[in-house]
Amino acid sequence: MGENTMKPGVEPAPISTADNTALGLENALSGAEFDGIICIGGEDWWYHNRGHFDFQIMRRLAKRWPVLFVNSLGVRMPSLSDKGLFAKRIGRKLKSFSRGVTNVENKFWVFSPLSVPGEAVRKFNASSLSPQIRLAAFRAGIRKPLLWVHCPAGVDVIDSLPHTGLVFQRTDRFESFPEGDPVVLKQQVDTLRARADLVVYAAPHLQDEECQSVKRSLLVTHGVDVERFRAAGAKTQTIGPRDIAHLKRPRVGFIGGIDAHTFDPDLFLSVAGMLPDHQFILVGGCSLQEDWCQLENVRAVGRKPYEVVADYMAAMDCLIMPWNRSEWIAACNPIKLKEYLAVGRPVVSRPFQALKPYEGVVRVADDAATFASAVREACVQPYDGTQALALVAQEDWDAKVGLVADALCRLHKPVTDNGEYEEARTAA
């Protein structure tokens, strides 16, 4: 992998001899192998659920190579319309930055650079981010990095950050993120797709849609910590963690981010309102307005560490996915679905394309009345999770990371005419 991904005629930002010496980059792009990975993540390690694709894959790759996980650069400035949420997000980002470069486990390092979201300051970010990231990578022992980008804002560093190869993680349709600028996000995504040596997809239909416009693609559907969730679910009628142990049954749970681009609050409120004798429990961070739900049978317990998420799922009688009808959901392959199935509780979901392989084990409902009826049935009818568990038994994250590692090692080797790793498509 001695080939730089920069296009002919595109000059990277100049790096002085002194910089090269200090950072150990004199021959960073020579040789046949990368010696570490810089991942421009889509989330913040310190505050987001660690079940996300880039977290799970990078933690496992760090058993083989040093990995610097760069916390999400942000795709929009938080709105001042909700001052409480604005202050919370700014405070959270500053706390994340104050942690510096942290070795979390194995060779996995986490870093939050100082950056400002928004189109107006992109030039500033482009010139300031790369030195910060290079210094952090140096501390992590990375001299010849492979650059992995999930957050579209990472496009600003691909010309100024030396790398032996560029991977674009296309597991979300970021240009459909409602809080970002769709024009800017589309430009960023288009640039990353065109420049990447490899584009990694989690949704087959999104890969099929775009595979002709990328150099090569790899399908790696989302994984699950099968044993963690299976073991939690094996405890029949568990009372659950302390903050929900006292809540009545039947319990209906949603575990995940309660955000406008994925979660449909109108559908949820209608369903919960139709089932006043059911206890609805929301586990996860919420970016909706604080007073969005006033129903007495709804309890929000906030964000929980990934290590205990399975225990909350197992404490439910039914698990739900009240998705909206956004383009984001249309292109998604949610990790939550496989976690729900592995924990062995009945699932009710609004339909979306990635649900098709699981038809027959998931109750599907598109409107509030049908959804509420499906939830009621799920809570009273006997449920055998054997078939659901069988469908996800081979979906462990360790198997997924093997596909990724193999693709990275063969990044510049010949591929098929349509730019895919066919064997990886089959295995994924």
Side-chain angles (χ1 to χ4, degrees):
M1 293 178 57
E3 178 182 346
N4 194 336
T5 61
M6 297 177 187
K7 300 287 187 179
V10 178
E11 292 296 328
I15 302 174
S16 69
T17 303
D19 286 338
N20 274 336
T21 301
L23 299 174
L25 295 171
E26 296 92 334
N27 297 306
L29 302 180
S30 65
E33 298 287 342
F34 60 91
D35 66 0
I37 301 167
I38 297 174
C39 175
I40 310 298
E43 304 85 22
D44 190 305
W45 169 263
W46 303 115
Y47 297 102
H48 288 122
N49 185 303
R50 294 175 185 172
H52 287 287
F53 186 98
D54 41 3
F55 288 155
Q56 292 286 350
I57 293 296
M58 291 300 146
R59 289 178 71 180
R60 286 166 170 78
L61 289 176
K63 296 177 181 179
R64 179 169 181 177
W65 298 288
V67 171
L68 175 68
F69 188 93
V70 180
N71 283 327
S72 178
L73 303 179
V75 296
R76 48 85 176 98
M77 175 65 75
S79 173
L80 283 169
S81 60
D82 188 333
K83 293 183 180 179
L85 182 60
F86 177 86
K88 181 179 179 180
R89 286 179 172 174
I90 295 299
R92 191 172 67 186
K93 181 60 70 174
L94 290 175
K95 287 181 180 179
S96 186
F97 172 73
S98 70
R99 292 176 182 267
V101 186
T102 305
N103 183 203
V104 174
E105 61 186 19
N106 297 315
K107 301 174 185 177
F108 183 73
W109 298 71
V110 176
F111 174 56
S112 294
L114 187 61
S115 66
V116 182
E119 178 65 11
V121 292
R122 282 186 66 188
K123 290 185 178 179
F124 167 77
N125 284 338
S127 62
S128 67
L129 282 172
S130 291
Q132 296 180 68
I133 294 172
R134 287 178 352 231
L135 283 168
F138 180 79
R139 182 171 177 185
I142 301 172
R143 305 296 184 270
K144 297 192 298 181
L146 174 74
L147 183 59
W148 178 296
V149 178
H150 181 202
C151 178
V155 74
D156 291 335
V157 303
I158 62 177
D159 285 332
S160 56
L161 191 63
H163 51 277
T164 64
L166 175 62
V167 177
F168 178 31
Q169 179 188 324
R170 181 73 162 143
T171 51
D172 296 298
R173 199 187 286 273
F174 259 106
E175 63 271 33
S176 298
F177 186 55
E179 296 182 40
D181 185 325
V183 175
V184 172
L185 286 169
K186 185 178 184 305
Q187 291 173 344
Q188 293 173 332
V189 168
D190 288 347
T191 300
L192 286 166
R193 276 206 319 250
R195 298 281 296 272
D197 298 295
L198 173 68
V199 181
V200 177
Y201 293 91
H205 49 284
L206 185 57
Q207 183 194 34
D208 290 341
E209 178 184 322
E210 298 181 352
C211 65
Q212 298 301 320
S213 63
V214 302
K215 293 178 183 176
R216 65 180 73 184
S217 66
L218 176 70
L219 178 67
V220 183
T221 57
H222 283 134
V224 59
D225 282 329
V226 175
E227 185 53 32
R228 176 195 296 269
F229 287 86
R230 186 208 62 76
K235 304 170 185 176
T236 305
Q237 291 290 305
T238 174
I239 62 172
R242 182 177 300 177
D243 57 348
I244 67 170
H246 63 287
L247 297 177
K248 67 177 184 180
R249 293 184 181 275
R251 298 175 186 165
V252 182
F254 174 81
I255 291 81
I258 305 164
D259 304 303
H261 63 292
T262 57
F263 186 89
D264 188 334
D266 293 333
L267 174 65
F268 176 82
L269 291 172
S270 295
V271 172
M274 293 176 185
L275 299 171
D277 55 334
H278 289 53
Q279 176 69 61
F280 287 77
I281 304 172
L282 301 173
V283 182
C286 179
S287 60
L288 304 180
Q289 292 187 348
E290 291 186 5
D291 61 349
W292 75 274
C293 179
Q294 300 295 319
L295 296 176
E296 293 184 359
N297 64 326
V298 176
R299 177 68 60 88
V301 297
R303 194 189 309 273
K304 299 298 177 182
Y306 177 70
E307 290 73 19
V308 299
V309 163
D311 296 326
Y312 280 91
M313 290 184 183
M316 307 301 168
D317 299 294
C318 175
L319 293 162
I320 61 172
M321 294 188 290
W323 301 132
N324 59 31
R325 296 187 177 93
S326 68
E327 287 298 314
W328 183 287
I329 290 297
C332 78
N333 182 263
I335 297 170
K336 187 186 329 299
L337 171 60
K338 292 179 181 177
E339 293 175 344
Y340 279 5
L341 295 176
V343 86
R345 300 293 180 267
V347 180
V348 179
S349 175
R350 181 171 255 170
F352 59 101
Q353 194 158 352
L355 194 60
K356 290 182 178 180
Y358 303 96
E359 292 178 353
V361 297
V362 175
R363 288 178 168 86
V364 180
D366 202 8
D367 62 87
T370 307
F371 204 108
S373 177
V375 168
R376 187 180 294 279
E377 290 178 1
C379 289
V380 298
Q381 293 181 357
Y383 177 74
D384 182 356
T386 304
Q387 184 182 359
L389 182 59
L391 286 173
V392 298
Q394 304 304 315
E395 299 291 313
D396 195 271
W397 282 115
D398 288 337
K400 305 295 180 178
V401 80
L403 297 171
V404 174
D406 181 60
L408 298 184
C409 289
R410 299 185 292 115
L411 196 58
H412 293 297
K413 293 182 179 180
V415 294
T416 58
D417 291 340
N418 62 358
E420 297 178 8
Y421 288 114
E422 293 292 349
E423 68 275 21
R425 167 183 279 277
T426 301

